[in-house]
Amino acid sequence: MRQNGVLHTTTTWLCVWCLLLFCVAVDRGRAAELTVESRSSVAAVAPGAPVAIKVLVEIAAPEIPPQVKRQPLAISLVIDHSGSMFSAKKMEYAIQAGKVLVRALEPQDELGLIIYDDKVTTLYPLGKVPDKEKLYKLLDTITPDGSTFLSGGLEAGVGQLKERRFEGVSRVILLSDGLANQGVTGAVPMGQLAAKARKQGVNISTIGLGADYDEDLMQAVAQQGGGQYYYVNDVENLPAVFRQEAHLAAAMFSKDLTVAVIPAVGTKQLKARGYTQEQRDGALYIDMSNLSSGEKRQVLLEMECTPAKGEAQQQLGVLKFNYKTEDGRTKSQETPLTINVLEDAKAIADANAKAAPAIRQVEEEVLLMDASEAHVAAIDKLKSGDAKGAKKILEENQRKLAPVASGNKAIASKMEQLAVDEKQLERAAGNVSMQKEMSKSSKSSAYMSAQGKKEGIMLRKGDSGYRVEALQKALKAKGLYTGPQDGVFTEAVETAVKASQKANGLAEDGVAGPNVLKQLGL
């Protein structure tokens, strides 16, 4: 009986354990999808009259559990080695950054190395890297020369990847410091090349180095190519950028992501702020890059509708996501967009009052995006010779942000950023190089803000990436930080930022906003 009892108990626990494993597997299958939440600028409206509505959509990729063997990478590294790369040690740091990328490769990964000036040269055909020293030596042979055949370099990088059927992540990393002056040179046709590559399963990330490249072109290629865009003003940050890019690629959650808004009958004037987009087949298709593990993104939709009488809810449309997960499964998700329709004015007021926190969040994101776009417009005025017009725009937008700045750190930081540039206008009026830097900085900040990323205006606890690594380095140089330069904004970094703020007479909140970053030379 005792033996039977032991056998029975053991069998029972085995059954329980198998059931638990099954439940975990099922739960992981259900959880491994994007989390999507939406908030609108109004919770309830009256029927019969046209109303403008803004919808803030927040998207989050799940955290991928640590795996013994991550998905393989196929990366085509395309490096500009035109004559302009000779200045400011750009080539030296590009080579160093390339070595960082090679060092991060695992046995299952593949790499191709392409360089371009007025011609395109393949230094290393796409393949495994059994001998990393060979790649290091090849990188050391690169020297600056010639003009900038950027489109040729990009097409060669894409060509390496699309010819091979690869189960993991296929990505081009395109580095340039200058204006494309040979082959395809415009932002629109280059964006179209990137969009075509994305449809063929190849994503493209772009890195703009210094003040002389075309930021509109590089942003368009990254956004339509499904990758990341980096503005790197300080060449010393290049290795950290490559580390971040390798990490994001290795931790990719979604592949072949398509995002579409299918408007309901009666919804019109539909657009997504800050994204390249296309009206096609009755839907608005938004160019959104693939998401890595734990990554968050947002999109602000604007539309107009006339709520129908006799309906309790007005259908605005459906937000649809199609993608492949990191384990190869195809996913399709839909999120309906609706608002309540009420006849009674008091009921409408009560519904909107109840939803006040969500409405306020949407309104403040709209304010932030408006200010970011105005910032870009102000610097465009400066570049055209109208410093007074630039000053007026910057001052107006600081006034608009002021009423809510005390309760929203991102808006307070944007105010600081506008004020910093306003103070520089007189000095920048006769300095073309300074104007270029201000233009790229404002556009990069606006690009990031549209996606819900605040790192373009401030850094705070919980942030990570190459900007945080640069902050850690600057704090360490001041003797304020002794921790690792790992790109993670920890409590120790926050304490160091507070020490910097105290030393410079700034409010000690531990957030590295524009004034803190300026004091640290960032």
Side-chain angles (χ1 to χ4, degrees):
M1 290 293 292
R2 187 179 173 190
Q3 288 180 339
N4 289 341
V6 171
L7 178 61
H8 175 73
T9 302
T10 303
T11 304
T12 301
W13 277 110
L14 281 172
C15 290
V16 170
W17 180 243
C18 290
L19 180 62
L20 284 171
L21 287 175
F22 174 76
C23 290
V24 168
V26 171
D27 183 63
R28 186 178 183 274
R30 289 174 178 166
E33 63 181 22
L34 299 175
T35 300
V36 184
E37 294 183 359
S38 65
R39 298 172 177 84
S40 61
S41 57
V42 61
V45 294
V51 58
I53 298 171
K54 297 175 177 65
V55 179
L56 180 67
V57 181
E58 295 177 327
I59 306 129
E63 295 280 354
I64 301 173
Q67 297 169 338
V68 175
K69 188 177 181 181
R70 62 160 171 77
Q71 57 184 332
L73 305 177
I75 295 176
S76 182
L77 177 56
V78 182
I79 298 177
D80 177 358
H81 78 120
S82 59
S84 57
M85 286 290 287
F86 182 78
S87 65
K89 296 186 176 180
K90 291 176 186 176
M91 197 75 258
E92 178 183 330
Y93 279 98
I95 290 169
Q96 185 180 331
K99 291 179 180 179
V100 166
L101 181 62
V102 172
R103 204 171 294 124
L105 297 175
E106 295 185 359
Q108 72 269 27
D109 299 330
E110 298 186 14
L111 180 76
L113 177 59
I114 292 170
I115 58 174
Y116 66 95
D117 49 8
D118 47 31
K119 60 183 179 298
V120 178
T121 304
T122 299
L123 289 185
Y124 193 88
L126 185 70
K128 298 284 178 62
V129 187
D131 183 0
K132 291 186 178 182
E133 288 297 328
K134 180 180 179 180
L135 259 298
Y136 297 153
K137 289 176 182 177
L138 275 176
L139 284 162
D140 284 333
T141 65
I142 304 174
T143 55
D145 189 31
S147 56
T148 309
F149 187 16
L150 192 148
S151 65
L154 176 61
E155 288 179 308
V158 171
Q160 278 192 330
L161 294 166
K162 75 177 184 180
E163 289 172 4
R164 185 170 300 208
R165 291 187 177 182
F166 196 76
E167 293 301 318
V169 175
S170 296
R171 178 164 295 199
V172 172
I173 299 177
L174 176 67
L175 170 69
S176 181
D177 80 321
L179 296 173
N181 51 26
Q182 191 172 333
V184 181
T185 59
V188 172
M190 282 294 289
Q192 291 169 344
L193 282 177
K196 182 179 178 181
R198 186 176 187 179
K199 290 177 181 177
Q200 295 168 331
V202 178
N203 294 151
I204 303 166
S205 286
T206 62
I207 302 170
L209 184 58
D212 295 321
Y213 71 92
D214 184 342
E215 62 269 29
D216 296 329
L217 183 153
M218 296 294 267
Q219 282 186 9
V221 170
Q223 193 165 80
Q224 293 180 251
Q228 307 286 332
Y229 162 69
Y230 303 88
Y231 161 49
V232 183
N233 187 36
D234 185 346
V235 293
E236 292 186 18
N237 290 334
L238 260 184
V241 170
F242 273 53
R243 266 191 294 275
Q244 178 173 327
E245 180 63 12
H247 169 74
L248 289 173
M252 190 64 63
F253 169 74
S254 68
K255 289 176 61 179
D256 305 332
L257 174 67
T258 62
V259 183
V261 187
I262 305 166
V265 176
T267 298
K268 52 187 181 180
Q269 306 298 325
L270 176 63
K271 70 174 183 177
R273 294 278 296 271
Y275 285 85
T276 52
Q277 57 208 275
E278 179 187 8
Q279 292 279 357
R280 186 173 78 245
D281 302 325
L284 178 71
Y285 284 84
I286 303 168
D287 288 321
M288 184 178 293
S289 60
N290 289 311
L291 286 90
S292 295
S293 172
E295 192 176 0
K296 296 180 181 178
R297 202 73 52 78
Q298 77 175 32
V299 56
L300 181 64
L301 300 172
E302 294 184 346
M303 63 195 76
E304 183 181 297
C305 75
T306 302
K309 293 183 178 181
E311 297 289 340
Q313 275 196 331
Q314 174 70 30
Q315 300 294 323
L316 301 174
V318 174
L319 188 61
K320 189 169 184 178
F321 300 85
N322 288 307
Y323 58 95
K324 289 180 182 177
T325 61
E326 92 287 355
D327 56 6
R329 287 177 298 163
T330 299
K331 287 275 188 178
S332 182
Q333 291 179 233
E334 293 187 359
T335 299
L337 306 174
T338 63
I339 54 169
N340 295 317
V341 182
L342 301 172
E343 298 276 356
D344 182 67
K346 185 178 183 306
I348 293 172
D350 288 345
N352 287 327
K354 186 177 180 181
I359 292 172
R360 183 166 58 251
Q361 183 183 352
V362 177
E363 290 173 343
E364 290 180 359
E365 284 297 326
V366 172
L367 269 176
L368 186 59
M369 196 167 297
D370 287 346
S372 296
E373 292 174 356
H375 193 179
V376 172
I379 305 306
D380 284 344
K381 285 271 188 187
L382 173 66
K383 289 167 66 180
S384 70
D386 186 3
K388 286 185 178 179
K391 183 178 177 66
K392 181 180 178 183
I393 293 172
L394 294 174
E395 288 177 340
E396 284 177 353
N397 280 273
Q398 288 176 73
R399 286 195 294 270
K400 290 178 182 177
L401 297 178
V404 295
S406 61
N408 186 312
K409 193 59 192 176
I411 284 181
S413 293
K414 188 64 197 181
M415 273 188 70
E416 279 185 26
Q417 198 176 55
L418 297 175
V420 166
D421 273 6
E422 185 193 344
K423 290 174 183 175
Q424 297 184 122
L425 286 176
E426 188 174 342
R427 186 158 58 96
N431 188 325
V432 174
S433 179
M434 196 172 174
Q435 290 174 19
K436 288 180 179 179
E437 289 177 7
M438 292 167 73
S439 176
K440 284 172 173 57
S441 179
S442 65
K443 287 181 179 179
S444 176
S445 176
Y447 176 85
M448 295 177 75
S449 290
Q451 299 178 50
K453 300 176 181 179
K454 304 300 188 285
E455 295 95 323
I457 50 178
M458 66 177 183
L459 297 169
R460 55 187 167 180
K461 188 176 176 181
D463 287 340
S464 62
Y466 82 94
R467 293 171 186 267
V468 177
E469 191 171 332
L471 173 64
Q472 290 170 326
K473 182 179 177 182
L475 290 167
K476 186 169 282 192
K478 295 285 186 181
L480 301 172
Y481 176 69
T482 57
Q485 286 178 214
D486 57 1
V488 181
F489 200 124
T490 60
E491 189 172 340
V493 177
E494 184 179 58
T495 299
V497 169
K498 287 180 180 178
S500 176
Q501 290 170 325
K502 183 177 181 179
N504 291 285
L506 301 172
E508 298 172 44
D509 59 7
V511 176
N515 285 328
V516 172
L517 298 174
K518 189 172 187 295
Q519 292 288 346
L520 292 170
L522 298 174

